[in-house]
Amino acid sequence: MEIPKEDGSTRPLAITCFEDKIVQLAVSQILTKIYEPLFLPCSFGYREGMNAHDALRSLMKYSNEFAKGTTVEIDLKQYFSFQNEHDASRFYQVLPKRLEKFGLKLHVNKSSVIKSGSYHAKVAASKGERLKTYKFVGFTCYWGKGRLGKWRLKFKSRSDRLAKKLVGMRQYVKQNLGVKTHIVIKNVVRIVVGWANYHAVSDNQKQVNMFIQWSTRILFAFVNRKGGKRKMN
């Protein structure tokens, strides 16, 4: 089956049966033993013992390290930090040819070279501007001042995905008005806890709190709509 992507295109999604999952697990364990030693330390996707939070920490480390750095955003959802813009530009020019050797193409409209680093952030602020933001593993990456007044890379949950998650939650409770209340609440709480745990990173407390508050309102509306002698608020 085909599922929609954010840019309007679609991608194939296979629905596996129980037997397929057993085979996939066995093959995955074999391939992991073979290829895991070949991965670079900067590779985090689908590796045992590594997750998106590790990738965010690495991105923050290298971005903050280079005051006059540059970030290259590519459609493969990988981000590379460079110490200077010249090296980044050279990499960006060569990358499409390297990808073509492996049957891959660079999505030009979703790829770019972005100034990064505390120096560039400070200069932009002095002009009343901000450095360009970019998206990474469900977060918007932007430059802001820390509590000590120093410029550094920060993360916040993508507003579009947060809103989409809440819309999906409203649809779920609306479609399950006939289901027992405690079952629906249990399922929604599981969704909220999972989302909050993933998005609980530095500088993102406001987005997490907002998601929890709106989720709570959705549950209150669900309980009140089901009826009862007392209304909840």
Side-chain angles (χ1 to χ4, degrees):
M1 63 178 294
E2 299 284 333
I3 60 174
K5 296 177 64 176
E6 293 179 352
D7 60 1
S9 60
T10 61
R11 66 180 178 184
L13 175 66
I15 301 178
T16 57
C17 62
F18 179 71
E19 291 80 2
D20 290 337
K21 292 181 179 179
I22 294 178
V23 174
Q24 289 175 357
L25 178 61
V27 173
S28 175
Q29 291 176 344
I30 295 173
L31 293 178
T32 297
K33 295 293 184 181
I34 297 174
Y35 292 106
E36 178 61 27
L38 304 178
F39 280 108
L40 296 175
C42 59
S43 180
F44 300 93
Y46 303 101
R47 293 181 65 190
E48 186 176 352
M50 292 188 174
N51 54 43
H53 286 183
D54 295 320
L56 288 171
R57 280 190 286 269
S58 181
L59 175 62
M60 178 179 289
K61 174 186 175 182
Y62 290 110
S63 296
N64 291 334
E65 183 177 341
F66 302 128
K68 297 182 180 181
T70 306
T71 296
V72 177
E73 175 187 11
I74 68 174
D75 189 37
L76 297 180
K77 305 301 181 186
Q78 298 290 331
Y79 295 84
F80 304 86
S81 291
F82 292 84
Q83 189 168 0
N84 60 69
E85 191 170 354
H86 175 67
D87 290 341
S89 298
R90 289 182 57 191
F91 170 83
Y92 191 68
Q93 292 172 0
V94 174
L95 183 61
K97 296 180 180 179
R98 294 288 299 273
L99 292 176
E100 288 176 1
K101 292 182 179 181
F102 300 95
L104 301 173
K105 290 186 178 181
L106 186 68
H107 196 310
V108 180
N109 294 333
K110 296 172 66 177
S111 306
S112 59
V113 177
I114 306 169
K115 285 187 176 182
S116 178
S118 57
Y119 173 81
H120 291 310
K122 184 177 180 180
V123 171
S126 67
K127 299 177 182 179
E129 302 173 351
R130 298 181 67 91
L131 293 183
K132 181 181 177 182
T133 63
Y134 56 93
K135 300 176 178 61
F136 186 57
V137 294
F139 292 87
T140 296
C141 306
Y142 67 101
W143 283 86
K145 286 186 177 181
R147 286 179 293 179
L148 299 179
K150 294 183 178 181
W151 288 94
R152 62 181 179 83
L153 186 66
K154 295 186 174 185
F155 308 113
K156 69 175 182 179
S157 302
R158 288 179 53 174
S159 299
D160 56 339
R161 290 192 176 181
L162 188 153
K164 185 176 181 181
K165 196 72 173 181
L166 291 173
V167 169
M169 190 182 299
R170 289 192 186 94
Q171 293 176 344
Y172 169 76
V173 298
K174 185 177 180 180
Q175 294 168 358
N176 288 273
L177 287 172
V179 179
K180 292 183 178 179
T181 302
H182 74 277
I183 294 178
V184 174
I185 292 178
K186 181 179 179 180
N187 290 335
V188 171
V189 168
R190 185 172 66 248
I191 293 172
V192 173
V193 171
W195 191 94
N197 286 339
Y198 181 83
H199 290 266
V201 299
S202 300
D203 307 306
N204 196 42
Q205 190 61 47
K206 182 179 179 180
Q207 294 287 82
V208 173
N209 288 341
M210 182 171 64
F211 181 79
I212 294 175
Q213 290 173 3
W214 277 104
S215 299
T216 303
R217 293 182 183 181
I218 291 172
L219 279 179
F220 281 153
F222 163 75
V223 174
N224 289 333
R225 187 170 183 180
K226 291 200 70 170
K229 294 183 179 180
R230 293 185 177 181
K231 295 293 183 181
M232 299 180 65
N233 53 49

